[in-house]
């Protein structure tokens, strides 16, 4: 199967600090990865599309300077929450698309719980 | 962004009964639909998918029905088990658009 991992699984940080979350495709190469945010009892909201070797595409309302995305290789994308504030506390989930076959086969990571104090 | 509520709709079923979870999708251009299961604190888990050229697809204990005329998707779970308790999301996309998730339904199985 296709496995996607995230690290860390949960993180607690102080307000004003930056937090980096890693998303890795373990057994396949992913030219495209997606980052989602999920607040309690709500659905997954797409934040940005991460393409290997190019700039990420952000959804409307998502601050690109606050949520820095780097897709440096075909198996790794990172999301850095800069100057985190309590309202950034959420469940962050990545997904990876396998192969150059379009956007159909998406595999999700287990998520990262961010708590900003 | 999409509108979301503070409380997920909940479906409660007796163990052993069949469950039907419904979803209305928004984009008539979507041609691929997926159902995901999400347990607390975990990422979405793929259950079953269907393409727009089909109206029914069956898996193990699960069936997805697609009605493109009214843009409606449903997930049927046969002989529901306690392990089926989770939040279920439908999602839609097309070849060049990311997945868009529905609001979700919480399935609660009563033993």
């Amino acid at each position: 199967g296709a496995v996607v991992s995230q690290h860390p699984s949960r993180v607690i940080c102080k307000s004003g600090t930056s937090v980096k979350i890693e998303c890795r495709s373990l057994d396949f190469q992913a030219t495209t990865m997606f980052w989602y945010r999920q607040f309690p009892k709500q659905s997954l909201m797409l934040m940005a599309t991460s393409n290997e070797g190019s700039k990420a595409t952000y959804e409307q309302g998502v601050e690109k300077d606050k949520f820095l995305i780097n897709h440096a290789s075909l198996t790794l994308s990172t999301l850095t929450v800069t100057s985190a504030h309590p309202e950034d506390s959420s469940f962050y989930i990545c997904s990876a698309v396998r192969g150059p076959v379009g956007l159909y086969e998406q595999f999700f990571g287990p998520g990262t719980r961010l708590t900003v104090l | 962004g999409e509108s979301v509520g503070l409380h997920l709709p909940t479906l409660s079923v007796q163990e052993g009964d069949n469950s039907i979870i419904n979803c209305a999708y928004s984009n008539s251009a979507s041609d691929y639909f997926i159902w995901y299961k999400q347990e607390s604190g975990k990422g979405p888990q793929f259950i079953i998918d269907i393409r727009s050229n089909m109206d029914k697809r069956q898996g193990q204990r699960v069936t997805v029905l697609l009605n493109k005329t009214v843009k409606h998707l449903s997930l049927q779970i046969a002989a529901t088990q306690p392990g089926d308790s989770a939040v279920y999301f439908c999602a839609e996309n097309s070849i060049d658009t990311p997945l868009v998730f529905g609001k979700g339904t919480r399935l609660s199985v009563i033993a």
Side-chain angles (χ1 to χ4, degrees), chain B residues 17-104:
Chain B
D17 287 352
N18 296 333
S19 303
I20 300 177
I21 300 171
N22 297 303
C23 174
Y25 64 93
S26 57
N27 188 354
S28 56
S30 293
D31 57 7
Y32 183 55
F33 306 88
I34 312 122
W35 279 100
Y36 289 96
K37 173 185 180 182
Q38 188 180 30
E39 296 174 301
S40 181
K42 297 183 179 179
Q45 175 187 352
F46 173 92
I47 301 174
I48 192 169
D49 60 0
I50 188 168
R51 299 197 187 276
S52 60
N53 60 352
M54 303 171 69
D55 53 21
K56 180 179 180 179
R57 189 159 188 238
Q58 288 184 290
Q60 187 178 9
R61 281 202 309 120
V62 294
T63 301
V64 55
L65 299 178
L66 173 63
N67 185 330
K68 295 182 289 294
T69 302
V70 295
K71 291 190 286 187
H72 184 267
L73 196 66
S74 70
L75 175 70
Q76 301 177 1
I77 304 174
T80 312
Q81 302 168 1
D84 295 327
S85 294
V87 177
Y88 290 81
F89 293 98
C90 66
E92 58 178 303
N93 76 346
S94 60
I95 189 68
D96 56 357
T97 59
L99 280 174
V100 174
F101 281 80
K103 295 181 181 180

Side-chain angles (χ1 to χ4, degrees), chain A residues 5-51:
Chain A
S5 70
Q6 282 184 240
H7 178 79
S9 58
R10 56 180 65 230
V11 56
I12 300 173
C13 69
K14 294 181 178 179
S15 184
T17 60
S18 294
V19 175
K20 180 185 285 189
I21 303 170
E22 294 184 347
C23 177
R24 293 182 184 272
S25 55
L26 298 185
D27 52 1
F28 66 99
Q29 294 183 329
T31 54
T32 301
M33 291 183 174
F34 298 97
W35 286 96
Y36 295 83
R37 179 168 52 183
Q38 185 178 32
F39 292 108
K41 297 184 179 181
Q42 295 188 19
S43 189
L44 283 74
M45 297 283 289
L46 180 66
M47 299 176 66
T49 302
S50 171
N51 293 299

Side-chain angles (χ1 to χ4, degrees), chain A residues 24-25 30-31 33 50-53 70-77:
Chain A
R24 293 182 184 272
S25 55
T31 54
M33 291 183 174
S50 171
N51 293 299
E52 188 267 338
N70 186 339
H71 195 152
S73 77
L74 288 172
T75 59
L76 173 64
S77 175

